């Protein structure tokens, strides 16, 4: 019973914060709402016995990625920029309708694809150390060693790409001067 | 305890909210954040299935998705910086150069 | 036996690359050194491998060298591989040897030409291609060489491309050869289709050939006829001979090398190589023999009335090639190859000699303005006379043995007939007449050139006369490798080639051939004497008309002025081809261009472009360029696909 209460509590926060995030005009507030949503999701991870990944979610997302967002916002000195020209009510309503249909379809798919008796009930008990650092790590470094190593290349490429993109080239500097 | 279906529906909901953010928001930064939210919605579904089938491999996938998300954020933000530097704006509607 | 045969064609290739890539940076001495050395090395290696071949027992005289696999595509497998058997050995020695001599000669002949480097580059490329042609161990590689020599022929005919007639002649040669190549390709396809291989070892194995082809069947007849079409193109036979006389626009050593001694004999080589297949198609054999002998007499008669010294020799070449095809057509392949070899010697010598004359006459090629050169250019005269005696078939010189063998075989062979022999004999008489007419007009009589040219008359330099002398020696002794049985020899040449002529062996019963030979011993002798007498008579006629009684020639010409006109105009074959083939093509092409291409095709294409352009203008607003619109449409697409999955999945 307590589990269910915690689930609903976290779920409402996660979705509510997400909705608030996309409604904000000020990007700093958006980032903070996203942090809230992610922390609530981390609670759900823990409920699913994914302790390690839940911890990673907080550390990587709130600790690194979203801080990066904040840095960029500060770097660009963005405030609640007013974009002007309200979009039409019809346009917004139709877009919300599209996402609602998307949601409905996804739910229908989950219903159709997943096996009802397993999805409708709580999953069977799992081993004590399911989702622990040790277990995830042993999978990561044994079965998934090559994909894991490949992510390092991906990150390297991303770093190089980011540096190249964000760097001011010489001609630009001359113009600035 | 909580049925797995609850998590899946929640994940679908978060994904839909993220999608709404991408198509409704005009702020490039918020669009990027919405994409991050969609990725995390997918992560939640993966974790839920992983728990349901009692296989820990899903956690590894989530781990890799984190790496992808980090890379994507880095490159995306770099692009936003570029655009802002050139156009003094992060309003997605201002960039319609593809038209010509 | 395996030997590095690739060394033979390698050196001319290196020479070609060196001279070609460094064109314009080398001195004349270096260029000629590279060119001549490379061909000389080829000859030496050819000689080495020839002796290796001789050291093997009769039945196992094959040297192979697989260089690399060229095309491995499923069942279709082609190697770049070389094959040296008695037949290709003869060809390699003739090609590289004559080429070497002509390279040396060219140093003198081309000395003042601006395109010196270019000339030797082409010449080396030619030698390389020709060696590939004769050394190839499959039809496809042979075809590569075949096309290579065709290209070089085109380049060298049009060597003085500033002259319109030269570049036209080059184009003509190329296009006419294209028709033949088309036939060769189709023939090749049939062979591959039926036997599943283009390797000589498989496709020309009598056992394989007999298992897939019926003797005299439609398929084998079609294949051999198509390949013969290729041979008529390359070797200038009726109906595709028209390019060869025009090819004389090229430098004279080129005429000697490509258009007399080597390239034009490729067709004969190809047929001799494919003798297994040809022996299985009697209808084709008859066609080959008839076309060969018809070409011989046809071209020989044209040569009677030409005034250009090189044109006489050109028609003579066509006529002699006709002899070789006659030999092939009557199943005397080795006799054809024998004549090919001796012809290479004396015809190269004739051309080089005429080149020497033209050189001395400052480019004059019309015999009516020559005469009396005997005293002025003794070496040229004597060597030229030897070659003339050889080609006319005076006993003791090489031409006698080879030509006589062909005549005898065309009379005695199961495939021959008395008519073929008779036409061949008449052609021999004509040959004697026009060759001696040429000699008498050029070297005897009064000097008819203008005084300016007369002052500059001189014997050619040593670098030209030495090759002439070497070829003269070869023209004399070249025939002694194949002395017929009847004259006490044992025809070693034919024996040497026997392992290659599997087709002949397969069909002619040994005892039968022996019996007929014994029976016809005296006949052979009689025919031989008869042909010699006939040749002598025609030589006397030439003497009568062009030395003793010059007026008589003119009178004769007037009397038969109609006939003379026809012969002088080469039977108007060029005009006929022009009217029947070229003009309709031009008119048809014009129609296709003006009506079909411009109106229909262009109209269709432009119409499509206009329609699509209009349609895109209509669709253009969809490309708003706004990112959110695109993502929205993208999501709608996702929704539609998910919906389809839900409803139908």
């Amino acid at each position: 019973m307590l589990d269910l209460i915690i689930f609903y509590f976290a779920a409402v926060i996660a979705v509510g914060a997400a909705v608030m995030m996309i409604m904000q005009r000020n990007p700093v507030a958006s980032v903070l709402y996203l942090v809230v949503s992610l922390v609530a999701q981390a609670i759900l991870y823990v409920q699913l016995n994914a302790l390690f990944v839940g911890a990673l979610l907080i550390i990587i997302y709130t600790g690194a990625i979203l801080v990066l967002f904040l840095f960029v916002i500060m770097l660009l000195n963005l405030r609640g920029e007013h974009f002007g020209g309200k979009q039409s009510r019809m346009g917004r309503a139709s877009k919300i309708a599209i996402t609602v249909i998307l949601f409905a379809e996804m739910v229908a798919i989950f219903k159709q694809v997943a096996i009802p008796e397993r999805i409708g009930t709580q999953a069977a008990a799992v081993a004590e150390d399911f989702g622990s650092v040790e277990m995830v790590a042993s999978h990561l470094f044994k079965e998934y060693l090559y994909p894991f190593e490949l992510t390092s290349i991906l990150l390297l490429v991303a770093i190089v790409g980011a540096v190249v993109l964000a760097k001011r080239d010489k001609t630009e500097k001359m113009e600035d001067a | 305890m909580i049925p797995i279906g609850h998590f899946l529906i929640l994940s679908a909901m978060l994904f839909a909210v993220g999608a709404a953010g991408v198509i409704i928001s005009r702020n490039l930064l918020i669009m990027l954040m919405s994409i991050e939210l969609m990725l995390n919605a997918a992560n939640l579904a993966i974790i839920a299935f992983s728990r349901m089938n009692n296989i820990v491999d899903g956690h590894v996938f989530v781990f890799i998705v984190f790496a992808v998300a980090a890379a994507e954020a880095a490159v995306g933000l770099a692009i936003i910086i570029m655009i802002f530097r050139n156009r003094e704006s992060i309003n997605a509607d201002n960039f319609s150069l593809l038209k010509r | 036996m395996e030997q590095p045969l690739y060394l033979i064609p390698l050196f001319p290739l290196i020479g070609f690359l060196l001279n070609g890539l460094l064109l314009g940076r080398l001195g004349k001495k270096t260029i000629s050194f590279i060119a001549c050395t490379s061909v000389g090395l080829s000859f030496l290696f050819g000689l080495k491998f020839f002796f290796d071949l001789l050291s093997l027992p009769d039945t196992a005289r094959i040297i192979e060298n697989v260089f690399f696999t060229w095309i491995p595509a499923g069942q279709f497998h082609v190697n770049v591989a070389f094959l040296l058997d008695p037949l290709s050995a003869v060809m390699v020695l003739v090609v590289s040897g004559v080429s070497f001599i002509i390279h040396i000669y060219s140093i003198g002949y081309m000395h003042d030409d601006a395109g010196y480097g270019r000339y030797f580059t082409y010449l080396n490329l030619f030698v390389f291609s020709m060696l590939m042609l004769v050394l190839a161990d499959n039809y496809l590689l042979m075809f590569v060489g075949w096309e290579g020599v065709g290209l070089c022929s085109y380049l060298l005919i049009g060597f003085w491309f500033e002259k319109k007639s030269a570049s036209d002649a080059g184009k003509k040669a190329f296009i006419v050869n294209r028709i033949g190549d088309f036939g060769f390709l189709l023939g090749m396809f049939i062979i591959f289709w039926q036997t599943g291989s283009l390797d000589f070892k498989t496709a020309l194995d009598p056992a394989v050939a007999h298992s897939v082809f019926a003797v005299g069947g439609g398929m084998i007849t079609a294949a051999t006829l198509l390949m013969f079409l290729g041979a008529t193109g390359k070797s200038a036979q009726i109906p595709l001979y028209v390019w060869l006389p025009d090819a004389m626009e090229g430098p004279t050593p080129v005429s000697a090398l490509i258009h007399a001694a080597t390239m034009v004999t490729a067709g004969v080589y190809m047929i001799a190589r494919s003798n297994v297949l040809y022996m299985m198609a009697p209808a084709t054999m008859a066609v080959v023999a008839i076309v060969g002998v018809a070409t011989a007499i046809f071209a020989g008669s044209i040569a009677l009335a030409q005034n250009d010294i090189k044109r006489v020799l050109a028609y003579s070449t066509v006529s002699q090639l006709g002899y070789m095809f006659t030999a092939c057509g009557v199943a005397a392949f080795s006799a054809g190859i024998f004549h090919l070899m001796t012809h290479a010697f004396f015809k190269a010598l004739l051309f080089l000699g005429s080149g020497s004359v033209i050189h001395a006459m400052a480019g004059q090629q019309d015999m009516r303005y020559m005469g009396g050169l005997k005293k002025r250019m003794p070496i040229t005269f004597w060597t030229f006379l030897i070659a003339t005696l050889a080609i006319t078939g005076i006993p003791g010189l090489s031409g006698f043995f080879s030509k006589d063998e062909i005549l005898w075989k065309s009379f005695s062979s199961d495939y021959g007939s008395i008519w073929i022999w008779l036409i061949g004999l008449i052609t021999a008489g004509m040959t004697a007449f026009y060759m001696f007419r040429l000699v008498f007009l050029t070297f005897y009589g009064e000097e008819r050139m203008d005084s300016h040219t007369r002052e500059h008359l001189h014997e050619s330099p040593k670098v030209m006369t030495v090759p002439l002398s070497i070829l003269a020696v070869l023209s004399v002794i070249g025939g002694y490798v194949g002395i017929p049985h009847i004259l006490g020899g044992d025809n070693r040449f034919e024996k040497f080639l026997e392992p290659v002529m599997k087709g002949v062996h397969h069909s002619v019963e040994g005892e039968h051939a022996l019996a007929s030979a014994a029976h016809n011993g005296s006949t052979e002798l009689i025919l031989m004497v008869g042909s010699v007498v006939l040749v002598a008579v025609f030589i006397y006629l030439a003497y009568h008309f062009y030395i003793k009684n010059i007026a008589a020639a003119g009178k004769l010409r007037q009397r038969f002025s109609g006939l003379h006109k026809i012969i002088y105009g080469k039977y108007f074959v060029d005009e006929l081809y022009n009217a029947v083939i070229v003009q309709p093509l031009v008119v048809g092409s014009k129609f296709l261009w003006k009506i079909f291409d411009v109106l229909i095709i262009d109209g269709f294409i432009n119409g499509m472009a206009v329609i699509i352009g209009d349609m895109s203008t209509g669709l253009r607003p969809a490309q708003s360029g706004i990112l959110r619109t695109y993502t929205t449409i993208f999501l709608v697409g996702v929704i539609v696909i998910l919906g389809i999955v839900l409803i139908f999945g």
Side-chain angles (χ1 to χ4, degrees), chain C residues 40 81 143 145 147 180 201 255 265 311 313 317 337 403 447 543:
Chain C
F143 190 69
E147 289 298 297
K201 220 187 302 174
S255 309
T265 60
R311 266 182 198 272
L313 292 176
T317 306
I337 297 293
K403 185 182 280 188
E447 299 174 353
Y543 173 72

Side-chain angles (χ1 to χ4, degrees), chain C residues 202-379:
Chain C
T202 318
L204 296 181
D205 184 353
V208 173
H210 278 270
S211 68
V212 292
F213 293 116
V215 173
M219 201 56 86
I220 182 83
T221 309
T224 47
L225 272 180
L226 284 167
M227 285 173 65
F228 178 59
L229 179 66
T232 57
K234 191 64 72 191
S235 297
Q237 296 298 294
I238 292 173
L240 298 180
Y241 73 94
V242 287
W243 65 272
L244 187 58
D246 287 16
M248 297 304 135
E249 291 288 349
T252 308
V254 168
S255 309
L257 177 60
I258 301 187
H259 306 118
T262 54
M263 184 193 83
V264 288
T265 60
V268 182
Y269 166 74
M270 190 260 282
I271 289 183
R273 169 65 70 197
S274 320
N275 64 78
V276 172
L277 300 177
Y278 277 84
M279 289 304 287
M280 289 173 65
T284 313
M285 293 293 277
V287 171
V288 173
I290 290 167
V291 167
V293 79
T295 309
I297 191 163
F298 187 73
S301 65
I302 295 176
L304 292 175
Q306 299 303 310
N307 288 325
D308 184 320
I309 183 167
K310 282 181 75 180
R311 266 182 198 272
V312 174
L313 292 176
Y315 281 107
S316 160
T317 306
V318 176
S319 168
Q320 296 298 314
L321 287 166
Y323 268 124
M324 296 174 208
F325 278 101
T326 313
C328 292
V330 298
F333 298 102
S334 42
I337 297 293
F338 188 25
H339 195 58
L340 184 161
M341 183 179 83
T342 57
H343 175 255
F345 297 146
F346 57 65
K347 187 50 69 62
L349 176 51
L350 286 171
F351 267 111
L352 294 186
S354 77
S356 177
V357 169
I358 294 165
H359 198 64
M361 299 285 300
Q364 178 61 263
Q365 301 192 1
D366 195 328
M367 292 188 292
R368 284 171 297 190
Y369 301 103
M370 297 178 183
L373 294 178
K374 181 182 168 189
K375 286 161 286 174
R376 306 259 186 186
M377 333 178 54
I379 303 179

Side-chain angles (χ1 to χ4, degrees), chain B residues 39-60:
Chain B
L39 280 169
N40 272 300
N43 279 350
L44 186 60
I46 293 174
I47 295 281
F49 279 123
S50 179
R51 174 73 178 74
M52 180 177 97
N53 292 322
N54 196 4
I55 300 171
V56 93
D57 296 35
H59 296 196
V60 176

Side-chain angles (χ1 to χ4, degrees), chain A residues 8 16 20 25 28 32 34 42 52 69 74-75 94 96 103 124-125 131 138 153 160 163 176:
Chain A
Y8 279 116
M20 289 304 282
R25 181 152 291 150
V28 178
L32 295 177
L34 185 55
F52 174 54
F69 273 86
M74 276 160 27
L75 186 71
S94 66
I96 290 171
F103 170 67
S138 77
I153 294 175
V160 173
V163 168
D176 288 356

